[in-house]
C-alpha cells in the first residue's frame, strides 16, 4: 500500500501502552477467576503457582491501572460524548449491518462507552483491591468493609471482563482495527468510512506543512 493511502492511527508508544494493559488484563483476569471459582483454580498457574498468584495478582492489577491511566489522559478528550454520538446510538441497527452513520470523530459512541466503562471498572477495582490487599492494607479496615469491598471487586471484575470481551469482538468485527493497533496505520479509505471527521482533521493537519512550504 502506498504511503499516501495510509493514515497513522497510533504511534509506537501508544501501541506499547495498549498491549501492556492487554497483557496485564489477561494475567489479572485469569488469576482472579482462579480465586473466585474453585473449579478454575488451575488458572492461577498463569502466574506460576497459586501462592505466587496471590502475591502477584494485586501488583499486576496496579500495573494495569497505571498503564490505563496513561491511556486515559491521552484519549479522554476524544471520548467526550457529543451530538453525533446520539445520532450513532439512535441508528445502532444500521451500525449492526456494518453501515456507518453520523460524522464520527476519532472514536464512535460504542468505543466511547467501552472507554468510560473500563475506567469506572478500574477505579472500583483499585479502590476495593486496596481494601482487601493482604498483608499491606486489609488490616486497616473493619471486616464488614472488607466484605463489601470483596463484593465490589468481584462485580467490577466481571464488568471489566464483559467490557473487554465487547472491545475484542468489535475489533475483530471491524476489519482493519487490529492492524491499527499492531502496525499503527489504517488505510485512508477505512478512516474516511468509519471516522470521517477524524479523517478530515488528519488530512487538514497533513496539508498545513505543504501549504507553508509553498508560501514565499
Amino acid at each position: 500500500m502506498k504511503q499516501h493511502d495510509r493514515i497513522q492511527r497510533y504511534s509506537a508508544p501508544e501501541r506499547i501502552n495498549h498491549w501492556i494493559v492487554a497483557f496485564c488484563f489477561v494475567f489479572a483476569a485469569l488469576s482472579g477467576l482462579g480465586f473466585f471459582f474453585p473449579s478454575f483454580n488451575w488458572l492461577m498457574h498463569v502466574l506460576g503457582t497459586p501462592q505466587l498468584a496471590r502475591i502477584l495478582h494485586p501488583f499486576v492489577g496496579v500495573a494495569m491501572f497505571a498503564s490505563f491511566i496513561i491511556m486515559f489522559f491521552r484519549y479522554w478528550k476524544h471520548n467526550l460524548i457529543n451530538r453525533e454520538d446520539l445520532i450513532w446510538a439512535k441508528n445502532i441497527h444500521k451500525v449492526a449491518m456494518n453501515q456507518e452513520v453520523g460524522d464520527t470523530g476519532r472514536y464512535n459512541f460504542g468505543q466511547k462507552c467501552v472507554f468510560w466503562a473500563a475506567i469506572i471498572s478500574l477505579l472500583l477495582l483499585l479502590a476495593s483491591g486496596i481494601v482487601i490487599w493482604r498483608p499491606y492494607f486489609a488490616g486497616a479496615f473493619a471486616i464488614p468493609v472488607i466484605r463489601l469491598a470483596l463484593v465490589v471487586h468481584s462485580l467490577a471484575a466481571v464488568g471489566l471482563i464483559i467490557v473487554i470481551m465487547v472491545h475484542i469482538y468489535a475489533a475483530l468485527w471491524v476489519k482493519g482495527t487490529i492492524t491499527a493497533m499492531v502496525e499503527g496505520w489504517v488505510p485512508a479509505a477505512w478512516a474516511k468510512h468509519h471516522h470521517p471527521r477524524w479523517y478530515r482533521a488528519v488530512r487538514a493537519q497533513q496539508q498545513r506543512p505543504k501549504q507553508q512550504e509553498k508560501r514565499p
Side-chain angles (χ1 to χ4, degrees):
M1 183 178 292
K2 296 180 180 179
Q3 193 68 32
H4 68 272
D5 291 331
R6 294 181 178 184
I7 290 180
Q8 185 182 51
R9 187 152 174 83
Y10 297 109
S11 64
E14 288 177 303
R15 301 198 303 277
I16 292 170
N17 189 180
H18 172 272
W19 290 113
I20 289 174
V21 173
F23 282 114
C24 286
F25 168 79
V26 170
F27 288 125
L30 292 179
S31 58
L33 288 172
F35 299 147
F36 197 77
F37 298 103
S39 57
F40 286 167
N41 283 165
W42 55 275
L43 287 175
M44 289 187 283
H45 290 283
V46 72
L47 290 176
T49 64
Q51 294 78 13
L52 190 59
R54 291 189 181 279
I55 296 172
L56 293 180
H57 175 85
F59 288 100
V60 173
V62 170
M64 176 175 62
F65 179 84
S67 299
F68 193 88
I69 283 297
I70 295 173
M71 294 175 63
F72 174 81
F73 285 113
R74 274 179 172 153
Y75 306 129
W76 72 270
K77 289 183 179 179
H78 300 289
N79 283 279
L80 296 176
I81 308 300
N82 55 46
R83 185 176 297 177
E84 292 297 327
D85 294 318
L86 300 179
I87 297 175
W88 192 95
K90 290 178 181 178
N91 291 274
I92 188 65
H93 59 287
K94 294 182 180 179
V95 177
M97 299 300 293
N98 204 28
Q99 299 178 30
E100 290 299 327
V101 295
D103 193 21
T104 305
R106 181 162 186 173
Y107 299 110
N108 61 41
F109 183 65
Q111 292 169 314
K112 291 178 180 181
C113 288
V114 167
F115 177 84
W116 292 110
I119 190 60
I120 291 171
S121 298
L122 284 168
L123 286 170
L124 291 173
L125 284 168
L126 179 69
S128 59
I130 289 174
V131 174
I132 63 178
W133 193 347
R134 295 183 183 276
Y136 302 106
F137 305 108
F141 298 94
I143 296 299
V145 176
I146 293 175
R147 289 174 177 168
L148 177 61
L150 282 166
V151 173
V152 172
H153 200 76
S154 301
L155 293 175
V158 171
L160 183 61
I161 290 172
I162 293 173
V163 167
I164 298 302
M165 289 176 65
V166 171
H167 174 62
I168 294 171
Y169 175 78
L172 294 172
W173 180 46
V174 180
K175 186 178 179 181
T177 304
I178 297 297
T179 301
M181 193 46 71
V182 173
E183 301 181 18
W185 59 268
V186 293
W190 182 95
K192 188 175 182 179
H193 176 68
H194 294 290
H195 303 274
R197 182 153 46 89
W198 173 71
Y199 168 80
R200 294 196 304 271
V202 172
R203 285 304 195 203
Q205 189 174 14
Q206 291 173 341
Q207 291 298 324
R208 285 172 194 155
K210 296 179 180 179
Q211 292 174 351
Q212 291 174 354
E213 289 176 2
K214 293 179 180 179
R215 291 177 182 175

